[in-house]
Amino acid sequence: MDYGLGQTIGLSVLQVALVLLLSPLLEGVIRKLIAFVHSRIGPPLFQPYLDILKLLGKEEIASSRSFLFRYSAVIALTAVLTASLLVPMLGRPPLGFAGEVIVFVYLISVVAVMIFMSGVSSGSPYGLVGAGREVMMVLTVEPVLAIALITAAVKSGSMMFGDMVSWQLTHPPSISMVIVGVALFLAIVAQVARLPFDIVEADQEIMAGPFVEQSGPKLALFKWGFYAKQLIFASLLVSVFIPWPHVGKLAVDALITLAKVVVLLVLVGVVHAVNPRLRIDQSIQFFGLLIFASAAGLAFALVGS
Amino acid sequence: MHSTGYCQAVEKAGGIEVPRRARYIRTIVLELERIQSHLLWLGIAAHIIGFDTVLMQAWRIREPVMWLCEKITGNRKLYGINVVGGVRRDIPKAMHPELMEVLGRIERETKAVLDAVVTDTTLLARLANVGILPNKDASAYSLLGPTARGSGVAIDIRVDHPYAAYGEVETNVMVETSEDIWARTVVRIKETLDSIRIIRDCLAMMPGGPLQAKITEPIPPGRIGQSSVEAPRGETHHYVITGEDNRPYRWKARAPTFQNLQGVPIMVLGETIADVPIALGSIDPCFSCTERLETVDVRSGEVKVYTKADLFRLCKERWSKR
């Protein structure tokens, strides 16, 4: 599939702007939902925007002069936004090329690496513990993500998200896609640092871990990156694994996708609200089992069901 | 609870007989305090392991108890209801229906929370078989209150050395034997429910009569009075030597946290960082009650205990540098 250069750039700018502007609102929706489960009124829907604005206007206090400490937030947000260009949010990804799935997984790993670096370079023992936890999480969560996407690739016979979506649209749901879809959902809960997998930050244990020394604009970028990640992962799951109904009109499809994303994030919020935090070893055990489960899904895909 | 301990110690020293009605009112207020303290603990413990839904719900359930306490005593906490020889305020018959209504509501809601948490596998994964405090260590270190009872040590001042109206009202010692944080949680929830029953019994059996004993003579100096009260965290002991002019010559209060803290190193031995906050939280610590700061130089093994004057000086030095 080839688009003109102008169309590609236009769609890219539109999608990045959409991710940046919309993701704090979805965070606000999740916060409202959690507040509802807590029997609280909760913060205003637009509070995440205000949080980001406030942090952007604050003075930077750095505990370390290390390059990685200073730029990890920027690199992480850039990686998230670049990854967003590969996700078919508005019907098709702005940057579509063969093998984009692999690039997507790598870009998401960059975020994890930056969180790790931020923790290691912060010079705080809490940061170090958090960085260690981040590595353990990544090593167990990313295989689930990768296997889920490989399964979709095997089913559709293509390494492109756009092909996966069109394949899903023309085929009925299959066992393998359901299994890896559920596994991917749980991996997403971990990826966006929601309970019960909010282990890397764990405020009550290690005081936000890798982010303990981050402040001001850098913290704002990290937070924004997390909000964006939430939106990207949710729209990836709904567009690749639950693409129906598909109308064919860009605006209508975008609205339908948005509705599905909201529903999915509400689910994430519910999981967050009804669970305490797991310990890192329990989480590793859980995702170890999940890797096996999603591998079983992949095996189903390979034998064709 | 501390005021009860102090008043009882002085009453013992002065040989003052507290009227029965006053003892019942003391019991009711003590149990209300236990209810709100245990619900507060439940919320904080849940917060420590990241379970904020339980935090919010536990504190929502707790709030009517605070309102009730305010209605009875004038304060949400630190009730100021005790005086030497009795209590300052009555719980009139007109207040009973409201008390019963609130008690019924918190009983229902606490049971609902209990039902919700016992089936939560993630919560059990965090609390069961974590922070083990063996029975023999709990007795050897003389741990107190729910911390000891969760390890199967059946001690409860309310039953062992009854005071106020506990000798007349049925009081159950809640003991769990699994020795972990979950056991301490279950002990506290069961005690909350038992406290509700105790208050109901007290209201049903409440005798008439005066609220305060008539004290005509000054309390003679040089007498010693001791009293123990089962606080929500465990035994609180008060020791009083009476002095001139109806004033105490010496007064010492020992809160249970200092004792219970000795169990924490055993609980966290070999556990991960993630389990340390909840193991420490499981004793319901009150650090301001521990009264002393001790540092150990790991290299030389030298131990230094800081006095109040030392801490005051250190604070001043630290802040004058800025």
Side-chain angles (χ1 to χ4, degrees), chain B residues 145-162:
Chain B
T147 312
R149 291 197 281 275
S151 293
V153 184
I155 50 162
D156 192 325
I157 298 300
R158 294 178 294 172
V159 173
D160 300 338
H161 304 282

Side-chain angles (χ1 to χ4, degrees), chain A residues 36-40 129 133 195-196 204-206 272-282, chain B residues 46-53 56-57 60 120 122-123 125-126 130 271-275 277:
Chain A
F36 174 75
V37 181
H38 286 179
S39 307
R40 282 189 290 127
V129 174
R133 290 180 177 193
L195 288 170
Q204 296 87 1
E205 294 163 18
I206 52 170
H272 176 93
V274 299
N275 273 300
R277 184 184 306 110
L278 283 173
R279 240 176 14 229
I280 185 74
D281 55 323
Q282 291 164 338
Chain B
H47 174 70
I48 292 174
I49 54 169
F51 207 165
D52 282 348
T53 307
M56 294 294 167
Q57 297 303 338
R60 182 180 57 74
D120 194 318
T122 332
L123 189 78
R126 285 305 308 275
V130 175
E271 301 276 14
T272 59
I273 289 179
D275 288 331

Side-chain angles (χ1 to χ4, degrees), chain A:
Chain A
M1 279 190 277
D2 265 337
Y3 319 122
L5 184 65
Q7 211 182 359
T8 305
I9 293 175
L11 201 57
S12 303
V13 170
L14 182 66
Q15 189 146 328
V16 167
L18 198 69
V19 166
L20 281 179
L21 293 179
L22 195 63
S23 55
L25 181 66
L26 291 170
E27 168 76 12
V29 172
I30 297 183
R31 284 193 198 173
K32 269 283 183 203
L33 172 88
I34 292 167
F36 174 75
V37 181
H38 286 179
S39 307
R40 282 189 290 127
I41 296 170
L45 213 48
F46 291 94
Q47 190 62 44
Y49 293 99
L50 304 178
D51 287 354
I52 289 175
L53 275 179
K54 179 194 76 180
L55 285 172
L56 283 176
K58 289 237 174 198
E59 142 193 43
E60 275 197 41
I61 301 166
S63 69
S64 153
R65 286 209 204 104
S66 127
F67 171 83
L68 281 166
F69 182 79
R70 276 190 290 168
Y71 293 104
S72 52
V74 181
I75 301 173
L77 183 61
T78 314
V80 172
L81 293 178
T82 316
S84 80
L85 295 178
L86 306 172
V87 178
M89 226 173 272
L90 302 167
R92 64 183 191 212
L95 283 183
F97 51 86
E100 61 184 18
V101 171
I102 297 171
V103 177
F104 178 81
V105 173
Y106 269 97
L107 283 171
I108 289 304
S109 311
V110 168
V111 182
V113 171
M114 283 308 125
I115 294 174
F116 170 78
M117 290 301 181
S118 161
V120 170
S121 61
S122 66
S124 154
Y126 294 115
L128 277 178
V129 174
R133 290 180 177 193
E134 176 71 30
V135 172
M136 289 187 263
M137 284 300 281
V138 167
L139 289 178
T140 46
V141 175
E142 300 238 324
V144 177
L145 176 70
I147 292 173
L149 294 178
I150 291 169
T151 309
V154 167
K155 292 295 283 186
S156 60
S158 163
M159 288 292 256
M160 294 175 71
F161 286 125
D163 292 351
M164 291 178 191
V165 176
S166 37
W167 185 88
Q168 269 284 76
L169 281 172
T170 50
H171 291 74
S174 53
I175 303 174
S176 51
M177 289 301 263
V178 172
I179 295 176
V180 295
V182 173
L184 181 62
F185 172 74
L186 290 164
I188 288 175
V189 174
Q191 278 281 358
V192 299
R194 288 281 169 193
L195 288 170
F197 307 114
D198 165 32
I199 300 164
V200 174
E201 287 151 57
D203 279 325
Q204 296 87 1
E205 294 163 18
I206 52 170
M207 325 221 163
F211 310 108
V212 64
E213 295 291 350
Q214 295 286 2
S215 61
K218 286 178 297 179
L219 186 61
L221 294 188
F222 263 125
K223 275 187 190 289
W224 216 344
F226 263 104
Y227 302 159
K229 228 166 126 183
Q230 240 164 222
L231 173 58
I232 291 165
F233 270 114
S235 49
L236 176 76
L237 182 83
V238 298
S239 49
V240 173
F241 288 81
I242 326 166
W244 324 274
H246 183 80
V247 187
K249 289 202 180 86
L250 187 67
V252 181
D253 278 339
L255 277 181
I256 292 173
T257 308
L258 181 63
K260 284 188 289 185
V261 164
V262 170
V263 171
L264 191 85
L265 288 180
V266 162
L267 266 177
V268 171
V270 170
V271 170
H272 176 93
V274 299
N275 273 300
R277 184 184 306 110
L278 283 173
R279 240 176 14 229
I280 185 74
D281 55 323
Q282 291 164 338
S283 159
I284 289 173
Q285 209 175 9
F286 180 83
F287 278 104
L289 288 173
L290 208 57
I291 290 174
F292 276 109
S294 45
L298 179 60
F300 271 117
L302 288 172
V303 299
S305 62

